[in-house]
């Protein structure tokens, strides 16, 4: 109900904005948009056409334009910049006002020549910051950090520190944490603002330094930041260079964005597709097909080996047609168990619960769980054949007990093989420096399908030789 009310008000606001634009009532329009929060405007602006968006951005205050722009998706940001192309002054103000980390994230999505052109619009100070941040490797912590923080010296008194915060804290990304540096900007510690507020004005900052300092390195992968934030429950973490000099901070909101992006990418890969560069709704049809076709072709070729495996046992199948009835049951059970194992291991690797050193622990645990699951499914499979035979639902012939045993034993081995394959493939991929998420459920299922048929018919030959075969 709340969502319906929200949508109703948004439609009314959009309709009102369009009427005011059409009547060119600029002052009234400016007055009305000033009453709406930047986050709400960001939701609304996506439903406006390009011309209407540009008009709104020209009417925003600089602070309002900055906050709305930061809350828009990348594709929408590109559209705004293109629309403002002939209004150089607006673009210049917008780019210079953006937080460095937000601007870096935006520049990363643009072609190189466009970035170079936009860089020329930055002030010398902002240009220097942008070049420094863009100089770090992609997906490194250096791309996430911002130089907008407050640092004090250890010999400051609390009163001096508070005065320094009042003077320089306005543009800081966060004031919850204040950093302590020496005269060479080497990081000594950090202090919670609460400690300073409650402290005596005459106390020295060095009395509050926390020597159990947690830091990030600018060239580390962003996943390192995700893990440290998760493990230590921090609002912000300092970023230092190899000499321990403070060069920026990373706040938790940007790490949450990274987590969302990486989770989305992993889900897409695990579903058997390449990760999308844009959201699903913004991805063109041909691009969507391209992202999905590659894996589908690979999996289709893999499934051809299933036909080859069945062809190899064609004579045996012809002699005992009843065996073919259970092929879907057999191969789906192996694929399902493999997909389960793969999803559990991939997630545990991503969370840092497991590392490559734990491979033998994983192997032992999956052999045991695969054995128990195989026994369970094997028992269910045998019971199904026995009940159908005795109830008269289907006649599996004189050797129905042997057919039931073949299904049961095959399920035992195939489920075990599926769990081992599904758990070890992500580990092997990570060991090779590849993304474990590419061990997608369809990939594991296809592998187990082919090998599962070989196991099934090998067990059948072993059990039925000199009986039906």
């Amino acid at each position: 109900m709340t969502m319906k009310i929200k949508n109703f008000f948004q439609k009314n606001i959009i309709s009102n904005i369009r009427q005011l634009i059409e009547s060119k009532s600029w002052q009234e329009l400016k007055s009305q948009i000033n009453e709406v929060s930047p986050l709400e405007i960001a939701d609304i602006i996506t439903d406006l056409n390009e011309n209407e968006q540009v008009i709104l951005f020209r009417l925003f205050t600089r602070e309002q334009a900055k906050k709305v722009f930061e809350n828009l998706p990348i594709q929408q940001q590109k559209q705004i910049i293109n629309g403002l192309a002939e209004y150089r002054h607006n673009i210049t103000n917008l780019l210079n006002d953006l937080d460095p980390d937000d601007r870096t994230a935006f520049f990363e999505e643009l072609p190189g020549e466009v970035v170079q052109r936009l860089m020329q619009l930055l002030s010398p100070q902002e240009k220097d910051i942008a070049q420094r941040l863009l100089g770090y490797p992609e997906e490194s912590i250096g791309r996430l950090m911002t130089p907008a923080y407050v640092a004090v010296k250890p010999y400051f008194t609390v009163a001096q520190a508070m005065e320094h915060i009042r003077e320089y804290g306005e543009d800081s990304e966060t004031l919850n944490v204040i950093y302590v540096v020496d005269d060479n900007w080497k990081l000594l510690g950090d202090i919670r603002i609460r400690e300073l507020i409650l402290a005596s004005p005459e106390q020295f900052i060095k009395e509050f330094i926390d020597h159990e300092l947690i830091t990030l390195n600018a060239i580390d992968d962003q996943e390192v930041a995700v893990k440290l934030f998760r493990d230590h429950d921090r609002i912000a973490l300092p970023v230092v260079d190899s000499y321990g000099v403070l060069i920026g901070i990373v706040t938790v909101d940007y790490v949450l964005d990274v987590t969302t992006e990486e989770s989305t990418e992993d889900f897409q890969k695990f579903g058997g597709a390449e990760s999308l560069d844009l959201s699903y709704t913004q991805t063109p049809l041909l691009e969507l097909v391209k992202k999905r076709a590659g894996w589908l072709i690979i999996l289709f070729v893999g499934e051809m080996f299933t036909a080859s495996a069945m062809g190899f046992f064609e004579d045996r199948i012809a002699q005992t047609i009843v065996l073919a009835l259970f092929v879907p049951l057999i191969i789906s059970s192996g694929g399902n168990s493999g997909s389960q194992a793969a999803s559990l291991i991939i997630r545990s690797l991503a969370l840092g619960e497991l590392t490559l050193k734990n491979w033998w622990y994983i192997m032992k645990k999956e052999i045991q769980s695969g054995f128990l699951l195989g026994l369970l499914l094997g028992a269910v499979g045998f019971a199904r054949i026995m009940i159908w035979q005795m109830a008269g639902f289907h006649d599996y012939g004189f050797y129905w007990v042997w057919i039931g045993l073949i299904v049961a034993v095959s399920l035992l081995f195939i489920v075990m093989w599926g769990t081992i394959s599904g758990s070890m493939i992500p580990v092997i991929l990570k060991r090779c420096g590849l993304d474990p998420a590419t061990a997608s459920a369809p990939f594991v299922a296809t592998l187990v399908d082919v090998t599962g048929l070989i196991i099934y018919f090998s067990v059948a030959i072993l059990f039925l030789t000199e009986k039906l075969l």
Side-chain angles (χ1 to χ4, degrees):
M1 186 67 175
T2 304
M3 185 60 69
K4 287 183 178 179
I5 294 173
K6 182 181 177 183
N7 291 337
F8 174 76
F9 280 111
Q10 280 190 356
K11 287 178 181 178
N12 280 347
I13 293 171
I14 291 168
S15 175
N16 195 32
I17 287 173
R18 284 178 169 152
Q19 287 176 9
L20 291 173
I21 289 175
E22 190 174 343
S23 63
K24 298 184 179 180
S25 305
W26 308 129
Q27 286 299 332
E28 188 178 348
L29 177 58
K30 189 171 184 177
S31 175
Q32 289 203 13
I33 59 178
N34 283 337
E35 296 174 3
V36 185
S37 72
L39 190 58
E40 288 177 308
I41 294 177
D43 282 338
I44 292 167
I45 208 167
T46 55
D47 292 324
L48 300 175
N49 62 44
E50 187 173 333
N51 183 55
E52 292 165 342
Q53 292 172 357
V54 171
I55 289 172
L56 283 190
F57 263 84
R58 294 193 65 203
L59 292 174
F60 290 154
T61 63
R62 289 181 63 168
E63 183 64 21
Q64 197 175 24
K66 169 197 166 184
K67 290 182 177 178
V68 172
F69 192 84
E70 288 174 348
N71 284 295
L72 291 174
I74 290 293
Q75 195 62 23
Q76 203 70 40
Q77 290 177 340
K78 291 180 184 178
Q79 190 169 312
I80 296 295
I81 292 295
N82 288 335
L84 289 171
E86 58 185 283
Y87 306 104
R88 184 184 177 94
H89 176 72
N90 295 79
I91 297 180
T92 300
N93 287 341
L94 181 59
L95 293 177
N96 279 288
D97 291 340
L98 283 177
D99 291 334
D101 40 5
D102 286 318
R103 186 172 55 220
T104 302
F106 174 57
F107 280 174
E108 280 183 329
E109 300 295 329
L110 300 176
E113 62 274 13
V114 177
V115 173
Q116 290 303 318
R117 191 164 66 248
L118 294 177
M119 291 273 279
Q120 302 309 313
L121 302 177
L122 299 176
S123 67
Q125 181 183 358
E126 294 298 328
K127 185 176 180 180
D128 180 64
I129 293 171
Q131 287 174 331
R132 183 151 45 87
L133 293 181
L134 286 170
Y136 290 106
E138 286 188 28
E139 299 188 0
S140 69
I141 290 169
R143 294 291 187 99
L144 285 180
M145 71 179 183
T146 174
Y149 59 87
V150 176
V152 296
K153 301 297 172 63
Y155 48 79
F156 282 10
T157 63
V158 170
Q160 288 174 318
M162 294 300 289
E163 183 60 35
H164 182 82
I165 292 167
R166 279 190 286 271
E167 185 175 354
Y168 296 102
E170 184 178 352
D171 297 325
S172 177
E173 188 76 23
T174 177
L175 289 177
N176 292 305
V177 183
I178 308 300
Y179 298 94
V180 185
V181 296
D182 64 17
D183 290 332
N184 296 314
W185 282 87
K186 184 172 182 178
L187 183 63
L188 302 177
D190 56 26
I191 307 172
R192 304 298 176 275
I193 191 68
R194 182 175 183 273
E195 295 179 73
L196 294 183
I197 293 172
L198 298 177
S200 169
E202 292 79 24
Q203 285 184 271
F204 288 100
I205 291 299
K206 61 185 178 183
E207 299 176 38
F208 301 92
I209 294 177
D210 181 3
H211 293 287
E212 293 183 8
L213 189 60
I214 301 164
T215 62
L216 299 167
N217 193 291
I219 61 173
D220 284 342
D221 190 273
Q222 293 174 2
E223 289 186 3
V224 175
V226 174
K227 187 176 187 306
L228 284 178
F229 271 99
R230 185 172 58 239
D231 292 347
H232 298 282
D233 192 26
R234 293 297 186 99
I235 296 170
L237 284 175
V239 182
V240 299
D241 64 12
S242 54
Y243 299 101
V245 174
L246 180 63
I247 55 177
I249 66 169
V250 173
T251 53
V252 69
D253 52 334
Y254 294 105
V255 172
L256 290 174
D257 290 342
V258 170
T259 305
T260 302
E261 289 172 8
E262 290 184 347
S263 298
T264 301
E265 184 177 322
D266 287 347
F267 274 121
Q268 289 168 350
K269 287 181 178 178
F270 195 71
E274 295 180 45
S275 59
L276 302 180
D277 299 321
L278 304 173
S279 68
Y280 178 84
T281 55
Q282 294 173 331
T283 303
L285 176 61
L286 292 179
E287 182 69 15
L288 191 64
V289 172
K290 180 182 174 184
K291 292 286 187 181
R292 296 163 67 175
W295 264 110
L296 284 177
I297 292 170
I298 292 170
L299 295 171
F300 180 74
V301 171
E303 290 290 358
M304 287 181 180
F305 289 103
T306 305
S308 299
M310 292 191 70
F312 182 79
F313 294 103
E314 184 178 1
D315 293 339
R316 306 289 186 177
I317 295 172
Q319 294 176 41
T320 52
I321 295 297
V322 69
L323 291 176
L325 298 176
F326 300 100
V327 168
L329 170 72
I330 295 294
I331 62 176
S332 64
S333 298
N336 291 340
S337 63
S339 299
Q340 279 185 341
S343 62
L344 291 172
I345 300 305
I346 288 170
R347 190 58 182 161
S348 294
L349 288 171
L351 293 174
E353 298 171 349
L354 295 173
T355 65
L356 296 179
K357 294 179 181 178
N358 302 126
W359 73 271
W360 180 237
Y361 167 80
I362 298 170
M363 173 79 84
K364 287 192 297 183
K365 197 164 189 174
E366 288 305 314
I367 289 174
Q368 293 168 357
S369 62
F371 179 77
L372 294 174
L373 290 169
L375 277 180
L376 179 63
L377 291 182
V380 172
F382 185 87
R384 191 269 191 199
I385 291 173
M386 182 177 69
I387 292 170
W388 258 242
Q389 177 71 26
M390 291 184 170
F393 297 143
H394 193 284
D395 183 10
Y396 295 108
F398 180 75
Y399 293 102
W400 69 267
V401 174
W402 290 100
I403 299 295
L405 287 173
I406 289 169
V407 170
V409 173
S410 297
L411 281 170
L412 172 63
F413 285 111
I414 289 169
V415 171
M416 281 184 66
W417 170 241
T419 57
I420 294 169
S421 301
S423 61
M424 286 294 104
I425 289 174
V427 174
I428 293 169
L429 288 173
K430 190 171 180 66
R431 180 68 183 85
C432 296
L434 301 174
D435 187 352
T438 54
S440 63
F443 176 76
V444 172
T446 300
L447 173 66
V448 178
D449 284 356
V450 178
T451 50
L453 281 173
I454 296 172
I455 293 171
Y456 177 48
F457 287 113
S458 297
V459 171
I461 290 170
L462 182 65
F463 277 49
L464 294 180
T465 297
E466 298 181 356
K467 295 180 181 67
L468 291 176
L469 301 176

